[in-house]
Structures are given as C-alpha cells and as structure tokens.
Amino acid sequence: MNNAASLSIFSDLQFLRTVGMCNQLPSSGKGRGNTCENQKETEAATNSDATPEKTSNTSYMGGRRNDLKDRSFLSEMSFSITKTLEDMFESHGRLVATYPLTTVGICFVITSICSLGSVNFVTELRPFRLWIPQHSEFIKVLNWQAENFPSSYRQQMAIWEADNVLTANVMQQMLRLHKKIKQIRVGPNDTSWEDVCVRVPSLPMNSHTKPEEEHEDVDYDRFDYGTLSRKRRSNTEDDRNSDLSLVLPRDQYCQILESLPRLCLETSLLEIWGLDENVIMSLTDEQVIKDVNDAKLSRVFGFKSDFTKYLGSVVYDEQGRIVSAKAATHMWITLVNDQSIRDGDFVIDKGSGEAVDTAGMAWEHSWMHAVLEASAELGNITVYAQAASSFGDISEKNIWGDVKWLMLGICVMISFVNITLGRRNLVEQRPLLAFMGLVSVAQGVAIAYGVCSMLKIPYNPVNSILPILLIGLGVDDMFVIMAAWESVGHHKGASVDLVERAGKTMRHAGVAITVTSLTDVTAFAVGASTDLPALRSFCIYASLGIFAVYVLQSTFFVVWLVADQKRMEGNRNGFFWCIVHHDWKPYACSQRDLMSEAFKSLASCLLSTRARIFILVSTGALMAVSVLTTLNLHQEFNPMWFIPQDSYLYKSFEAAKLHFPENGEKGYIYFANVTLPEDLVHLNKLVDDLISSGVVTEVNAWFTALDNYLSHAPDHGTTAMDYSLLQDKLLIFLQSSSGASYQNDFSFDGQLECLSPAPPVRAFRISIMHKPAPTPKEQSEALRAIKTLVSGVPIHGYRAAWAQAYSIWETNEVVGTELWRNIFLAGAVVGVVTLVLLASLLASVLVLVCVGFTVIGVSGTMWLWGLTIDTVSCIALVLAIGLSVDYAAHIAHAFLSVRGTDDKKERARVALQGAGSAVLQGGVSTLLAFVLLAWSSSHVFVTFFKIFTAASILGLYYGLVFLPVVLSFIGPSAYSDTTAVASDSTNVNRVGNNNVSQESKEFTKLEYSSGIV
C-alpha cells in the first residue's frame, strides 16, 4: 500500500519547493523576501499572458532547445510524460470545478450502476477453491472423485472432554444429550433425527445380556454394516467362521438380509449398554471402566466394535487395561435427501460447496446449538461440536464479523484526516471534507465489489482487508490533493478564482496520485496472473478498487474541496455551515506546523558525524538480526487459521488435536478401467510397497480382504479365478459382514442385488492412513512418495492418490514459489517506475536497497511474531513493497532536487527537513488504518496488522534515517537545471527567465520544501 503519495515524484517539485519556503518565511529578511517577490512577479507575468501555454512552450522551445540535447533519455521521457499528464489534469480540474453538481451526479450514477453487479455477489470459502492452483493434481482428482464417487453422507461429531470421561456421570450426560438430539424438530414438516439419519442393519440380540457375558459364539456377531465408521478390523479365524455368508446357502442368507431392521447410525460409548436408560442411569464409575474394557459388541447394531477407538488421551495400567480417558467421540451420521435436491429445495454448504437439502441443513444447525447448550450446562464437562456445515458457517460469519473494527478504523481515520487536512480552529477545520473523502473511498469499494461480482469473481476471506487498504490509499490521495491546494492558494493569493485554483491543484497533484495509483494497479494486475485463486481474486478486487478510488478522489473529492473552500472564505463554521463567524481571525497556534519544526532539529541531529556512524553500525546489526530470523521463517498453511480462535469450531479442532494426536491423514488411491482379476497381483504388490514406504501406517484394500474371505469359503481353491467368478464372489463378499464396509469403495455400472453377480466395476479405491506429518517438509516427502508408488504400478487405466490434506500439502509446495514470483514482479514494476521518474540509476538502486532491507526486516519480524509464509502473508509482503518504496523514493527525489552545492551532507539535511514530516505523516496514517486490527480474531486481519506495522516502522527507519545517512556519503549528483525542467514544466519560463535575480536562484537551489507528499 502506498502512503501519503507513494512514489509521488511530482512534476511541479521546483514550483512547490520555492512556494513552500516562501509561504513559511517572513516577507522581511535579506535575500529571502526578494526571492519570494521575484517568484510572484515572474508567475504573475506568466499568468498575465493571453495564451500562457503557448508562451510557455515557445519560451521552452526557444530558450532550452540546446539544453534538451544534453538531457538523458530518462529525463526526456520523464519530462514528456509529466508535461502531457499535467496539461490533462489541469483541464480536468477546471472542468470538475466548473460543473460540480454534474460531476457529483455522474459519480453517484456510475457507482450505482456498477453496484448493481452485487446482485451476483458470491463468496468462496471452500479451501480447495482458494488456496491451491486449479490445474493441480489435487483438483483434477477431486473433480474425478465427484463424478465417480459422490457422497451423500454428512458427519456431525461431538467430543466429550473431562478429567476422566469414563465415569457414570459422563455416560449419563451423554445419554441426556442423545435424548435431546432425538427431540429436535425443524422446518414446516418437523424434520427429526429419524428423518435425516443414515440407516444401517441391526442384528437382534438379548437386550439383558451384560457385556461380560458376551461370547464369541453368539450368532451374527460379525455382521458388520459400519459402512461409515470405516473401522477395518483384523479378523481371527473364529470370526471368519461366524460370517453367515460362508455357512448359509445364498438364497437363505439373502432372505435374512432383507428381514433385518435398520437403525439410525449414531456411534458412541453408549452402544456398550444398548442405549438402555435404566442400565445407564444405574451405572457406577467402576462398572463403566469394567464394561469399556470388556465390551466387544455393539448392543445397538449387533456387530463387533473396538470402543477404544472412541477414546482419546487414554491411560492404561500395568496389565494394559484402560483406567481413564480424557476425551470421547460421539457421532451422528446424516444423509442428504436427493429428492429435495432434485426438487430445488436445497442450500449450498459454503465450506464444501455441496448441495444440502434445506431441512437437513436446518437440522444440523439445531444439532450444533443443542450440543453447545448442553456443554454450557455441564460445568466441569465440556462438549465440543463439529457439524458438517460448521466450517462454511464460521468462515462466512468471520468474513463480516470484523466489520466493527472496520467501522472503528473509519472513525479514527475521519478524525485523523480532519486534524491533518484542516487547522485547529472553528473555520479552518474540515470535518465534512474529510467525511466526503471517505465517502469517495466507500464508492470505490462499492464499484470494485459490483464489477467483480458482475464478472463472477468470487469474494474470499482475504478480500475482507480490502476496505481498510482502500481507505489508506484514499487518505493518501487526499493528502496529496489537499497539500497542492494549499500551496497553490498561498502562491496565488486569497483572491484566486476557485476554478483556476482547482486546475492548478490537479496539475500539480494529478501526476502524483497517477504515479501512485499506476504503480499499485499495475503491481496488482501482475499479481492477478498468479495460480493461487484467493490471491488472484484479491488482486483483481484491489486493482479495480484502487483505480476507482483514484478516479473518485480526483473528481468527487475535488468538488467538495472547492465547496469547502467557499465555506472557509465565508467564515462559516467547519461543522455547521449555517453558522457564520463575523470578524473571525485564526488563533496563532493553529497556524504552526509543529512536525516541520521538529524535523528541522532532527535533520541536523541525525546527520552529525557520531550519529551517522552509529546509524550505519546499528543498521548493520539490524540487518544481521533480520537475516538470521528470516532464515528461520518457514512455509506453512492451514485453512483452520481462517477460523476465529474464539469460535466453537476452532476449540473443537484443538481438542481433537490434543486428545487424538496419533491420527494421521486419511487418503485414497483411485483406479478405473483396470483389468480384473489379471491386475490383482500388481495391486497386492502396491499394498506391500505402501506399507514399507514409511509414510503410510495402514492400507485397507478390498482385494486383500476378499482374499482372506475366500480363503475360508468351502469351495476355495477348487476353481480358477476368472472375471465371472470374481464378479460372483465379489457380490456376496460385499453383502457379507466381512466385506460390507467396502461397498463405498466401488463405483458399479448398475445396482447390487444379492442373488446376482456384481455389475461391471467402473472404478474402485483403496484407503490409506498417512503417518502423522507435522511439518511441510515431511508432508512434501510423503506426497512425493505416494505419487511415485502409484505412478509406478504396471497396470493400465486411471490411477491417482488423493487426500483432503493434500490440498494443504500442495499449497505449501507452491506458496513459496508464488511469494518469490510476486515479490520479483512487484519489485520490477516499482523499480521501473522509480527509475523513470527519478531519472537516476544510483538513486533508484538505493531506493530498492531500502525496500529490500525493509522486506527482509519484515520477514524476520514475521518469524518473531509467529507468522509463516502462507497466502495471506504473501499478499501482505507484496503490499509492503509498495509501502516501503514510498518513504525512500520521497527522500531520494528530494535529495536529487537540491542543487547549488556539492555538499552531500547539506543536501541530505535539506531533503530530510523538507520531505521528512510529510513522509512521517504518511507512515502514521498507515499505522492508524491497521492498528485496530490487532484486536481482530481474523487470521487475515491479524496478519496484515503485524506485517504492515513492521513494514511501516522499518520503512520509515530506512527511508527517514538510513537513506539520508547513505546519501550524505555516496548520494548521486543533483539534477542539472535542464533536468529540473523535466521535473517542473510549470516553471519552464521561471527557470529560463533572466529577470529572476541571482539571489533568488541561489535560494531555490539551496532550500527544499516538498509542499506535498
């Protein structure tokens, strides 16, 4: 972001230099008073000409033709561009001031038309649509997965946490929550848990049998339809023999399947007691511990279950028996109503992008509120909630949740702008002008949002920083225009026509804000070419917003500036324009510029010999520390950072990470068009390779389980396996207790029917469990290892590895490259603009050195502040380049403009004294724009606060302290008189006018005052 006219290298710098000093000096005093008088006389002579532009051009062509031949190419190009822009902006300023109502009307009409595009406003919160390139392998496999393995299941999970969850009290509270969830009714049809749940078969059993009385010979104890729990169990030989599909005739077995009841799938420790309220309410703590250790059978569904999988932070005794646990999971599995989707009665889950029936989504929200309400009533027991829709809901809420900080920031900026633009008295304060300046920023925001929505560019969490960014840029443009307005007023006098004053103001300030906006718009436009969708979206929004603010500040704001000046000339109150202060005179203290006075003393102090040596040594030490800390900075990105830390979802994720750290990332390997059963040998070899790779802890493959299943079939080994036999055995396997949980691993060309062979297999998958990989390096190694193994399988057809975590892992692989790419491009754009406008290679190099030092320092500060290289910090670092270049470029240009002496130290003092206060003011405005974000819970806002705070402080140090010291030693030569013409076409006649006294010329060469920054 640019501040107080980033890169505002003004074409009228010569004019403003002399005018600024004349305005500050008393009329008496040897030499100086004559200088100001000569300047005014010269300007008056120029303005009295009937055709001032023609006279100026004639004088320039005649008096300076030979000098142009001596000018460098950079100077000539800078002069040509500047002169053209100045003429355009002067005409523009006059036009705006002549037709104020028309200008304001056009601004509002254009804003209104562009804002209409907001009817198409959409937000994008899905991590895989924001943080990774859309041409990546992850996205390709994701799209293939959506077509071949669509899922209609949605998981709602509660995590119970206590000092010990294995107590009678926790089990009883768990039962109360179970009953409370069953009582939920939502929507016009009173949709309940029974209406939205996934149903699975339940095997009949004696409800009075106690857990310790369960025996291995109980009928149906291996009839497993836990298709969603995905708990693959190692089966013993006795377990396999109890699989009814292996011992019953096929037709009889299929009849049993049809007759089984189907219950809602809710998994928890309560299954141990069959959800029997009488039993659970009579439990003791000792009985809970004993039953958890002994239970092997779900007394709800009738199949075996390992209940220790539900426990976290488990403590075992010396015999390996569980004695306590600090957490337990409790899950409800729901099913999307496909008929409602087809009827159009659905909403979109913002987190996953899935279509969910309206009633189902409403039930999820009610479930979440019920769980959180129960947790609030339990005292020393905490229940964390994770609904399937939580991520999208929290992310969307978080986008708008920090509006309060935005509003407070606007209020602070209004106060700051009012104090800065006006003076400290009743008439010369400008509260309404400051407010209208921010209204123009609001219009720019509306235009950016509307146009981008019209172009169907989605809004994402990073874009929430855009209003604050545009406020900072808009305020900077206001400073530039306002300072030019004051300088022209002082130069021309109080009687100057306001239309003419507006034209001259825009002639001087227009080029400055054009350079500022051009640099930013170009840098962001280049950034829009990135492969990261979130960064691309932000860059497009920012480019349009900056351009809109630029146009509105040079039109809408100028109109109100002219109107406010009329008010001041009528001695009307700044707040209440209807009040007129007769015989009003300003307070003397309100006319003092305290900051400029302070910089006069500071400049001399900083450039003393001892101070310069100390600054160089200190800067070297600072850079050494910055480099060391930057080397510790690492790449890491996690979408969970976009969840506010005070949200229920974030706390739930933290609880899961604390109590279930051993759980790695689950993934799948997909296959299609594979030749079966011929390729099974290669697939089994892949399983062995995966296990031995060191990055996978578990592989669950249907063909491995099928081999185990067939090994206990009565006719196993009597018939050679071919395609027909495989399809027949596969069907009964998938209908058995041994293989039912693998049904979702297939995509068939038809429906499964118990008495018929399986239809042709279109695609299948095997599941893998990754070893925990906490660092980006380990994640990258694991990802490469899996992809290498999969690509090396000698089979035909489609094969690809995919895991939800791969979206984060692939982002970590590309974000570093994207960072360097965008820093290089942004630096190149800024460097070219700086070189062209400074017209000095050495000065441009020194400016870029300051920018580089600032970026390195900010990177080191990121590590100290706990930040990593991610998409958000990547954006902020690119913006920090534009921010830091402002400070250094102003001082460098001021140094180049001080002529008449070869003393580099004196030139540095004059440059710092003249431009320092305005540069510091710009840095303060940037800090004010972002300081309130320190209290935000948004990762985006907090990251920008930290990076921009560091960039502002370090940028000001390198621009206002380090650069003047370096310039005092090795600074480039000053502009020649002819080069100065390129920087100030307005003063062409004055520079070449022989009537200007020698005393006046010497004064303008030795003094510098920017007048505007």
Side-chain angles (χ1 to χ4, degrees):
M1 156 184 163
N2 295 352
N3 55 59
S6 61
L7 288 178
S8 59
I9 303 164
F10 306 123
S11 60
D12 58 345
L13 200 49
Q14 293 284 95
F15 165 75
L16 292 169
R17 177 167 62 250
T18 306
V19 170
M21 293 306 297
C22 286
N23 291 331
Q24 297 175 21
L25 295 174
S27 58
S28 62
K30 184 177 180 180
R32 297 193 174 188
N34 293 335
T35 298
C36 297
E37 292 300 322
N38 289 336
Q39 173 199 337
K40 294 179 179 179
E41 291 173 5
T42 303
E43 189 65 28
T46 302
N47 293 333
S48 65
D49 198 302
T51 57
E53 293 297 337
K54 182 176 180 180
T55 302
S56 175
N57 291 338
T58 301
S59 175
Y60 170 71
M61 296 302 294
R64 315 302 293 181
R65 186 182 303 274
N66 293 331
D67 291 329
L68 279 172
K69 297 179 181 179
D70 300 328
R71 294 221 310 265
S72 68
F73 170 75
L74 287 174
S75 299
E76 291 187 37
M77 182 168 59
S78 178
F79 168 73
S80 177
I81 295 173
T82 299
K83 182 64 170 64
T84 301
L85 289 175
E86 282 179 339
D87 293 341
M88 290 173 56
F89 274 106
E90 181 167 2
S91 300
H92 166 77
R94 291 175 179 271
L95 185 64
V96 167
T98 303
Y99 303 101
L101 295 179
T102 302
T103 300
V104 171
I106 291 174
C107 289
F108 277 121
V109 168
I110 293 177
T111 301
S112 300
I113 293 175
C114 292
S115 299
L116 292 177
S118 296
V119 298
N120 296 324
F121 182 82
V122 293
T123 58
E124 180 59 82
L125 302 174
R126 293 172 293 176
F128 56 86
R129 297 299 182 193
L130 291 175
W131 313 119
I132 65 175
Q134 295 303 287
H135 57 75
S136 68
E137 183 69 14
F138 176 88
I139 295 298
K140 293 177 182 177
V141 180
L142 180 67
N143 294 333
W144 183 92
Q145 179 195 54
E147 181 179 350
N148 293 274
F149 287 89
S151 176
S152 298
Y153 301 131
R154 295 174 66 80
Q155 176 179 285
Q156 331 299 325
M157 182 175 71
I159 299 178
W160 293 78
E161 182 185 65
D163 291 338
N164 182 11
V165 296
L166 299 181
T167 64
N169 179 44
V170 173
M171 296 303 107
Q172 291 158 6
Q173 297 299 339
M174 204 177 281
L175 178 65
R176 292 188 179 98
L177 179 60
H178 160 79
K179 295 171 63 177
K180 185 174 185 177
I181 297 302
K182 289 188 67 175
Q183 294 171 358
I184 292 175
R185 298 292 187 274
V186 296
N189 298 323
D190 289 334
T191 302
S192 67
W193 165 236
E194 297 288 331
D195 299 318
V196 301
C197 70
V198 169
R199 294 183 178 273
V200 297
S202 175
L203 302 178
M205 62 180 297
N206 185 353
S207 61
H208 300 290
T209 303
K210 296 180 180 180
E212 63 268 22
E213 297 174 350
E214 296 167 3
H215 300 290
E216 294 298 322
D217 58 352
V218 174
D219 290 341
Y220 312 118
D221 68 351
R222 282 298 300 146
F223 207 160
D224 185 353
Y225 269 77
T227 56
L228 296 181
S229 66
R230 312 299 293 173
K231 291 179 171 53
R232 319 297 197 186
R233 292 178 292 279
S234 58
N235 300 323
T236 65
E237 184 175 348
D238 290 339
D239 290 334
R240 296 192 198 100
N241 291 335
S242 65
D243 190 324
L244 293 183
S245 67
L246 294 173
V247 297
L248 293 177
R250 186 162 182 168
D251 56 347
Q252 184 180 351
Y253 179 75
C254 291
Q255 288 179 3
I256 293 177
L257 288 182
E258 294 295 329
S259 65
L260 291 176
R262 304 179 73 84
L263 302 181
C264 288
L265 184 55
E266 176 187 349
T267 64
S268 70
L269 294 175
L270 300 180
E271 295 176 59
I272 297 174
W273 302 280
L275 294 173
D276 189 317
E277 183 173 0
N278 293 330
V279 174
I280 294 173
M281 297 306 293
S282 63
L283 286 171
T284 63
D285 292 350
E286 293 77 10
Q287 189 65 44
V288 171
I289 296 293
K290 177 175 175 48
D291 289 350
V292 167
N293 280 284
D294 294 340
K296 306 298 180 185
L297 184 70
S298 169
R299 297 174 58 81
V300 176
F301 303 107
F303 55 78
K304 289 205 169 191
S305 181
D306 182 3
F307 291 104
T308 62
K309 296 293 186 179
Y310 298 167
L311 299 175
S313 298
V314 182
V315 178
Y316 297 88
D317 62 13
E318 295 178 355
Q319 288 74 38
R321 291 177 61 84
I322 297 173
V323 295
S324 68
K326 292 186 177 181
T329 60
H330 192 167
M331 294 188 186
W332 292 257
I333 311 299
T334 60
L335 182 68
V336 175
N337 189 325
D338 291 333
Q339 184 59 49
S340 296
I341 303 298
R342 288 190 291 269
D343 293 341
D345 184 18
F346 66 89
V347 294
I348 299 298
D349 184 340
K350 298 292 186 181
S352 65
E354 299 173 348
V356 183
D357 58 288
T358 304
M361 181 65 78
W363 187 90
E364 287 185 19
H365 292 160
S366 296
W367 173 89
M368 182 268 296
H369 290 300
V371 173
L372 295 180
E373 287 175 2
S375 179
E377 299 170 356
L378 293 178
N380 60 348
I381 302 174
T382 303
V383 188
Y384 301 99
Q386 289 184 29
S389 57
S390 291
F391 186 87
D393 292 341
I394 294 294
S395 297
E396 185 174 34
K397 181 180 178 181
N398 191 45
I399 285 183
W400 312 109
D402 287 307
V403 171
K404 58 181 179 293
W405 303 117
L406 177 61
M407 300 307 297
L408 286 174
I410 291 175
C411 293
V412 170
M413 291 303 294
I414 289 176
S415 301
F416 176 75
V417 172
N418 179 43
I419 294 172
T420 306
L421 293 186
R423 298 181 184 274
R424 301 175 295 277
N425 57 64
L426 294 175
V427 174
E428 293 180 316
Q429 60 182 332
R430 299 177 180 269
L432 184 60
L433 179 62
F435 176 76
M436 286 302 171
L438 294 178
V439 167
S440 67
V441 175
Q443 289 177 282
V445 173
I447 290 173
Y449 284 23
V451 173
C452 288
S453 298
M454 191 182 304
L455 297 174
K456 298 183 178 180
I457 301 172
Y459 185 90
N460 70 74
V462 180
N463 293 6
S464 57
I465 201 70
L466 187 62
I468 298 179
L469 173 64
L470 295 183
I471 286 174
L473 291 173
V475 168
D476 294 343
D477 290 346
M478 291 161 60
F479 288 155
V480 174
I481 295 172
M482 192 65 216
W485 177 269
E486 293 292 340
S487 294
V488 172
H490 287 309
H491 177 62
K492 295 290 185 179
S495 61
V496 64
D497 179 70
L498 292 181
V499 173
E500 179 186 355
R501 186 172 180 179
K504 292 297 182 184
T505 295
M506 292 308 299
R507 182 180 186 86
H508 304 322
V511 176
I513 63 175
T514 297
V515 170
T516 297
S517 302
L518 177 64
T519 303
D520 285 334
V521 169
T522 304
F524 280 115
V526 171
S529 63
T530 180
D531 288 333
L532 297 177
L535 179 56
R536 180 168 59 248
S537 171
F538 176 83
C539 287
I540 295 174
Y541 269 82
S543 294
L544 290 173
I546 294 170
F547 182 76
V549 169
Y550 157 68
V551 173
L552 287 163
Q553 291 290 6
S554 59
T555 52
F556 185 84
F557 177 73
V558 172
V559 168
W560 285 100
L561 177 58
V562 173
D564 195 60
Q565 185 63 34
K566 290 180 181 179
R567 172 197 63 81
M568 289 177 58
E569 292 178 354
N571 289 344
R572 296 183 178 273
N573 187 277
F575 278 98
F576 306 100
W577 288 20
C578 58
I579 299 177
V580 179
H581 298 278
H582 300 285
D583 300 325
W584 172 84
K585 291 183 179 180
Y587 301 114
C589 63
S590 68
Q591 307 302 303
R592 294 183 60 188
D593 188 345
L594 300 179
M595 190 175 293
S596 295
E597 294 176 6
F599 262 91
K600 291 180 181 178
S601 301
L602 181 63
S604 299
C605 178
L606 286 177
L607 294 173
S608 66
T609 301
R610 291 183 178 180
R612 288 191 294 171
I613 294 174
F614 176 78
I615 289 170
L616 291 177
V617 173
S618 300
T619 301
L622 177 61
M623 271 304 301
V625 173
S626 298
V627 170
L628 290 176
T629 52
T630 298
L631 292 176
N632 292 322
L633 192 64
H634 66 279
Q635 297 173 207
E636 184 177 357
F637 172 77
N638 192 336
M640 295 304 105
W641 292 341
F642 291 91
I643 301 297
Q645 296 186 11
D646 58 353
S647 69
Y648 73 86
L649 183 60
Y650 183 88
K651 294 175 182 178
S652 178
F653 284 129
E654 288 298 299
K657 184 168 65 174
L658 173 64
H659 298 298
F660 301 91
E662 70 280 0
N663 292 347
E665 298 293 345
K666 184 177 182 180
Y668 297 97
I669 301 176
Y670 291 97
F671 300 90
N673 302 320
V674 176
T675 304
L676 296 175
E678 290 79 5
D679 286 335
L680 286 177
V681 61
H682 303 302
L683 294 174
N684 280 295
K685 176 65 166 54
L686 173 63
V687 171
D688 295 336
D689 292 341
L690 288 169
I691 293 296
S692 61
S693 67
V695 298
V696 172
T697 59
E698 183 180 356
V699 180
N700 294 309
W702 63 268
F703 43 84
T704 302
L706 178 61
D707 285 342
N708 293 332
Y709 174 81
L710 293 178
S711 67
H712 292 83
D715 58 348
H716 178 69
T718 60
T719 306
M721 180 67 70
D722 59 14
Y723 177 77
S724 298
L725 183 59
L726 174 64
Q727 295 301 100
D728 184 68
K729 296 300 182 182
L730 181 62
L731 185 283
I732 195 64
F733 167 72
L734 294 177
Q735 298 285 350
S736 71
S737 60
S738 299
S741 59
Y742 293 94
Q743 283 189 22
N744 288 342
D745 289 344
F746 287 88
S747 176
F748 291 104
D749 189 10
Q751 299 295 323
L752 293 178
E753 297 180 5
C754 188
L755 293 174
S756 303
V761 177
R762 293 189 302 182
F764 63 86
R765 69 187 181 186
I766 64 175
S767 66
I768 61 175
M769 185 65 70
H770 275 280
K771 179 182 177 181
T775 66
K777 180 180 179 181
E778 293 174 306
Q779 295 165 2
S780 179
E781 292 174 351
L783 186 59
R784 285 197 299 268
I786 293 296
K787 290 185 176 181
T788 299
L789 289 175
V790 171
S791 62
V793 180
I795 62 175
H796 299 290
Y798 178 83
R799 59 270 180 88
W802 185 91
Q804 190 67 53
Y806 290 176
S807 63
I808 301 174
W809 296 3
E810 290 190 11
T811 298
N812 285 331
E813 284 190 334
V814 302
V815 70
T817 302
E818 289 294 319
L819 173 63
W820 287 112
R821 171 187 176 276
N822 286 289
I823 286 180
F824 173 78
L825 291 176
V829 169
V830 170
V832 170
V833 174
T834 304
L835 180 61
V836 170
L837 295 175
L838 287 181
S840 171
L841 180 60
L842 179 56
S844 299
V845 169
L846 291 177
V847 168
L848 290 179
V849 166
C850 290
V851 172
F853 283 6
T854 301
V855 172
I856 294 174
V858 171
S859 300
T861 306
M862 286 173 56
W863 178 79
L864 293 174
W865 232 327
L867 297 178
T868 62
I869 297 176
D870 60 21
T871 305
V872 179
S873 60
C874 177
I875 295 172
L877 278 174
V878 172
L879 292 177
I881 293 177
L883 180 69
S884 57
V885 77
D886 298 346
Y887 310 132
H890 285 306
I891 300 301
H893 190 269
F895 181 84
L896 290 168
S897 300
V898 179
R899 305 183 312 281
T901 177
D902 293 329
D903 188 346
K904 292 181 173 60
K905 178 179 176 181
E906 178 64 14
R907 290 171 58 205
R909 183 193 66 79
V910 174
L912 184 60
Q913 178 179 320
S917 61
V919 171
L920 181 60
Q921 187 181 65
V924 172
S925 71
T926 301
L927 286 174
L928 286 177
F930 287 90
V931 68
L932 292 177
L933 302 185
W935 289 272
S936 171
S937 60
S938 166
H939 173 68
V940 175
F941 280 18
V942 171
T943 299
F944 270 79
F945 160 73
K946 292 178 178 180
I947 290 181
F948 270 49
T949 298
S952 297
I953 295 174
L954 291 172
L956 287 172
Y957 171 79
Y958 286 113
L960 294 180
V961 179
F962 173 71
L963 182 59
V965 170
V966 173
L967 291 172
S968 70
F969 286 111
I970 60 171
S973 301
Y975 291 135
S976 64
D977 286 345
T978 53
T979 306
V981 177
S983 297
D984 184 13
S985 59
T986 305
N987 295 312
V988 158
N989 283 335
R990 179 172 56 81
V991 173
N993 195 323
N994 292 328
N995 293 328
V996 178
S997 67
Q998 182 64 28
E999 187 177 7
S1000 175
K1001 290 180 180 178
E1002 291 302 320
F1003 172 71
T1004 57
K1005 292 177 182 177
L1006 291 173
E1007 296 291 345
Y1008 174 87
S1009 176
S1010 67
I1012 340 173
V1013 178

